[in-house]
């Protein structure tokens, strides 16, 4: 296969692409699309094809898809961007990329989604068959736009047979990613036992590779997640920050918010986290 990866320069993409290049099947080719060609030099040095372009430009997308057999769509607009950019990148560009993939004959489309798209908790771990329910502490344009992308791409699967596989990620951490440190800007307002579903970058890559090479999983979602969530107290300890005593007096307003079952990806694709918890990753020196 020739595999096109979007979002290669983001926190997830720049850790995934080198792993894909190392572990791709013999004869496979990896191509990345980047807006700034200079940021593609590191991938080119590892053996990737580099195309310069913007996912919001139909001409650039057409060029990037030439000869491509599979797409891994990681590109996303999340923090510190206007809401209209979130909609333009997360939903509109993703669905347009799916349509272009149909036209170009690209047979496989792995799309990265988010557990925030489910909205409020269900009183149990979320499953891949749960519908979107607006609400929850982090519901907003990011969650809405990502949910819209999922819906649009699955519609292309139903209408045109696009082989869509959706990888649903929670909070991603590890390998120098600043996300764990950034939690200190908001986790101080949580209850002590409030939990955050998380996944290490190594396991994101493992899960995406399993989805990319799996057979007969079109039109399905898969949760890629650690075995254990991390609590507000854990996050303070991991960041070396004293735990505010008032955390013990608070109650989690939605204890199952964002908590996901990984039964499907374990049973169907053989996924087992390399780092089952943040503490395992810490002990391995992989934070």
């Amino acid at each position: 296969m020739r595999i096109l990866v979007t979002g290669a320069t983001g926190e997830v993409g720049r850790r995934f692409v080198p792993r894909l290049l190392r572990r791709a099947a013999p004869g496979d080719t990896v191509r990345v699309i980047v807006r700034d060609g200079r940021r593609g030099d590191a991938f080119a040095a590892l053996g990737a094809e580099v195309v310069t372009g913007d996912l919001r430009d139909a001409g650039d997308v057409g060029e990037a898809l030439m000869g491509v057999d599979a797409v891994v769509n990681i590109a996303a607009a999340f923090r510190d961007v206007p809401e209209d950019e979130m909609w333009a990148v997360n939903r509109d560009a993703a669905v347009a990329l799916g349509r272009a993939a149909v036209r170009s004959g690209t047979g496989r489309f792995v799309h990265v989604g988010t557990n925030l798209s489910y909205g409020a908790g269900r009183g149990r771990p979320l499953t891949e068959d749960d519908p979107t329910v607006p609400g929850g502490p982090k519901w907003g344009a990011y969650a809405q736009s990502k949910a819209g992308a999922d819906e649009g791409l699955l519609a292309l699967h139903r209408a045109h047979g696009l082989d869509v596989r959706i990888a649903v990620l929670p909070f991603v951490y590890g390998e120098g990613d600043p996300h764990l440190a950034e939690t200190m800007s908001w986790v101080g307002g949580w209850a002590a036992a409030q939990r955050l579903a998380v996944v290490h970058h190594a396991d994101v890559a493992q899960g995406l590779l399993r989805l990319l090479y799996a057979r007969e999983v079109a039109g399905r979602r898969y949760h890629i997640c650690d075995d254990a969530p991390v609590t507000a107290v854990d996050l303070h300890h991991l960041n070396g920050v004293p735990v505010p005593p008032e955390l013990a007096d608070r109650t989690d307003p939605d204890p199952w918010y964002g908590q996901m079952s990984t039964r499907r990806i374990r049973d169907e694709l053989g996924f087992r986290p390399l780092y089952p918890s943040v503490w395992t990753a810490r002990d391995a020196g992989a934070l």
Side-chain angles (χ1 to χ4, degrees), residues 171 178-188 196 235-236 239:
F171 187 91
H179 285 167
L180 281 180
E182 290 170 355
T183 64
M184 288 296 95
S185 66
W186 40 268
V187 77
L196 181 68
L235 287 166
H236 281 81
N239 284 292

Side-chain angles (χ1 to χ4, degrees), residues 34-126:
V34 295
R35 284 184 291 179
D36 182 347
R38 292 170 298 179
R39 298 189 69 186
D41 291 346
F43 302 122
L46 294 174
E49 298 177 353
V50 178
V51 174
T52 303
D54 192 314
L55 284 179
R56 292 167 289 188
D57 184 291
D60 292 346
V61 168
E63 179 183 352
L65 284 171
M66 288 182 61
V68 165
D69 303 292
V71 171
V72 182
N73 183 41
I74 304 174
F78 188 15
R79 294 178 175 87
D80 303 320
V81 299
E83 290 191 356
D84 59 350
E85 184 172 348
M86 292 185 188
W87 286 103
V89 174
N90 299 338
R91 183 194 62 186
D92 299 344
V95 176
L97 180 62
R99 293 195 188 102
V102 170
R103 291 193 297 270
S104 69
T106 301
R108 193 165 294 181
F109 197 105
V110 179
H111 175 69
V112 174
T114 172
N115 64 337
L116 301 181
S117 293
Y118 288 112
R122 307 299 199 277
R124 54 164 173 75
L126 294 159

